[in-house]
Amino acid sequence: QDQLQQKIICPGPVTCLTASPNGLYILAGVAESIYLWEVSNGNLLAILNRHYQDLTCLCFTDDSSHFLSGAKDCLVLVWNLYSVLQAEPSQIPDPRHVWSRHSLPITDLCCGFGGPLARAATASLDQTAKLWEISSGELLLSVLFDVGIMAVTLDLSEYHMFCGGMDGSIFQVDLCAWPVQRDRTFQTERENGKVFKGHRNQVTCLSVSTDGSLLLSGSHDETVRLWDIQSKQCLKTMNHKGPVTNAFIVLAPANMFNPDGKPSVPLPKFSKHLHGTESNDEPGSEGVTLRLGLHQQDSEESYLEKAEKMYARMYSTREKNLMGDQEHLTIQVSELEEEVSTLRKINKNLFDFSARIITKPAK
């Protein structure tokens, strides 16, 4: 049943929207600005103005530590979420990386797995799809097509990159192909076995199943198609009453089929003003607000120092567990050796007894 849980008025038309995988934050692109809200209380934590034209796409890394933004200004910016949260409201934090290798507007973004060590794919109207390394910001691969690319995604193992074109074609790029070339041209006539054909208009969204066997695609031809990746055959076509702008495969929540299931946390209305600048007379402004990161530069430990201490404790505990496991394993081995020795004695006695009976002369 279609149930409207909350209607939230935003500062302007929203061109792209995403939520962090941990469910704590919401990002929205409004004109050239990125708005960051905290889901639990609706506070507007940051407004980022580093793009020069309208936002087109936003995405988080799988650990929610970084997010990427793409716009019509041909730029892709990589942001560290903790740096954004630590910055004072009067300051505009700098992005971690600025990727400016595209020459036309960015159309889609996709992050792989690995948090800050992950790889990210970008698509653009300049007929290229590019693969980047988030940690270093380096360009790993650039693939040139004969049409503008509107959508891009990676499979779970990051063995293939799928690119949706303006003509309705979907291209499969092998990321482990040999020889390794940073600049590659996808020639459709030569790679006919790596093209999904069926859509009659531009492909707007792509999503791969967790087992890597199925591909979901949406298009302006008002259909969503489900493909078998191995055979490139269309398994199912779902018709809609207008252009499809987004579609993706997601694991069903545990309480999805429970008729009594309700959201555990009610969704509040999102604030239009930066947190800390509203009037204290507003209802609900009292209370304690927790923000991730340090507000002031003082003698306290930085986030990285705390993270290093936490990892050190984790590894020391793991080593202790491993040592304990080794001691336990040694005891088990000695016990098993004693049991094997006992069984050998019993077996020898049985053999001697059987031999005496068999070789005993008949009376």
Side-chain angles (χ1 to χ4, degrees):
Q1 296 178 359
D2 296 332
Q3 296 180 355
L4 181 63
Q5 294 185 12
Q6 181 67 270
K7 183 179 180 180
I8 299 170
I9 307 298
C10 293
V14 176
T15 56
C16 47
L17 183 73
T18 189
S20 61
N22 59 18
L24 299 180
Y25 303 99
I26 289 284
L27 282 175
V30 179
E32 302 134 21
S33 303
I34 304 171
Y35 284 74
L36 173 64
W37 281 283
E38 193 172 4
V39 173
S40 60
N41 50 29
N43 288 336
L44 178 58
L45 301 183
I47 302 175
L48 306 174
N49 298 297
R50 288 298 299 266
H51 283 284
Y52 305 106
Q53 294 185 36
D54 290 356
L55 269 291
T56 56
C57 42
L58 291 163
C59 73
F60 272 96
T61 56
D62 61 320
D63 66 343
S64 305
S65 66
H66 291 71
F67 61 90
L68 281 67
S69 60
K72 292 181 179 179
D73 57 8
C74 316
L75 296 179
V76 176
L77 305 183
V78 181
W79 303 85
N80 186 319
L81 178 61
Y82 307 128
S83 299
V84 171
L85 294 175
Q86 287 175 2
E88 294 298 326
S90 59
Q91 299 176 345
I92 300 178
D94 292 326
R96 180 172 177 180
H97 300 300
V98 178
W99 294 336
S100 56
R101 301 290 290 272
H102 285 289
S103 56
L104 285 176
I106 309 300
T107 54
D108 198 14
L109 298 170
C110 174
C111 279
F113 285 86
L117 302 177
R119 296 185 292 182
T122 60
S124 170
L125 292 177
D126 64 5
Q127 302 186 359
T128 67
K130 300 183 187 294
L131 192 67
W132 310 78
E133 188 176 53
I134 292 178
S135 58
S136 64
E138 291 185 2
L139 176 64
L140 303 177
L141 175 68
S142 179
V143 185
L144 177 64
F145 299 87
D146 52 7
V147 295
I149 301 301
M150 302 299 299
V152 65
T153 192
L154 300 166
D155 63 354
L156 199 62
S157 62
E158 297 183 25
Y159 194 82
H160 301 295
M161 179 169 65
F162 299 92
C163 306
M166 291 194 69
D167 64 349
S169 300
I170 303 170
F171 309 101
Q172 176 181 310
V173 179
D174 294 336
L175 300 181
C176 300
W178 187 263
V180 178
Q181 297 173 312
R182 197 177 75 167
D183 295 298
R184 197 186 306 175
T185 301
F186 190 96
Q187 297 177 340
T188 307
E189 62 277 4
R190 290 187 184 179
E191 315 221 25
N192 200 26
K194 297 178 182 177
V195 181
F196 300 79
K197 295 181 179 179
H199 285 297
R200 300 181 304 277
N201 205 332
Q202 66 182 36
V203 176
T204 56
C205 50
L206 294 169
S207 180
V208 181
S209 62
T210 53
D211 63 355
S213 64
L214 300 175
L215 175 68
L216 186 75
S217 63
S219 170
H220 275 190
D221 65 4
E222 304 184 0
T223 66
V224 171
R225 290 176 179 262
L226 190 65
W227 308 83
D228 177 69
I229 292 177
Q230 187 69 28
S231 64
K232 308 293 184 294
Q233 297 297 313
C234 181
L235 303 178
K236 189 174 184 181
T237 301
M238 292 156 276
N239 296 307
H240 291 262
K241 296 181 180 179
V244 177
T245 57
N246 202 4
F248 55 91
I249 299 172
V250 64
L251 295 174
N255 63 344
M256 180 176 178
F257 303 104
N258 182 9
D260 301 325
K262 294 181 180 179
S264 56
V265 179
L267 190 65
K269 289 187 176 180
F270 289 176
S271 174
K272 293 183 181 180
H273 306 284
L274 275 173
H275 180 60
T277 61
E278 302 96 333
S279 170
N280 290 329
D281 297 333
E282 290 185 8
S285 62
E286 69 279 353
V288 178
T289 302
L290 298 178
R291 288 182 64 191
L292 184 62
L294 302 175
H295 297 286
Q296 298 175 349
Q297 296 295 329
D298 49 23
S299 59
E300 292 187 30
E301 291 179 324
S302 68
Y303 167 78
L304 290 176
E305 290 172 342
K306 290 181 179 178
E308 285 178 2
K309 279 193 173 181
M310 182 186 70
Y311 283 123
R313 288 176 185 171
M314 287 172 60
Y315 283 123
S316 63
T317 305
R318 184 169 174 265
E319 287 175 0
K320 289 179 182 177
N321 289 338
L322 287 174
M323 291 300 293
D325 289 343
Q326 288 178 355
E327 293 175 3
H328 182 65
L329 187 62
T330 305
I331 294 171
Q332 278 189 326
V333 168
S334 61
E335 290 177 351
L336 289 172
E337 286 177 346
E338 290 179 4
E339 187 175 353
V340 168
S341 177
T342 305
L343 289 173
R344 280 178 177 168
K345 290 179 181 178
I346 295 173
N347 188 47
K348 186 177 182 302
N349 293 335
L350 285 172
F351 177 79
D352 293 341
F353 178 73
S354 303
R356 284 199 303 270
I357 292 178
I358 294 171
T359 57
K360 188 176 181 182
K363 292 182 180 179

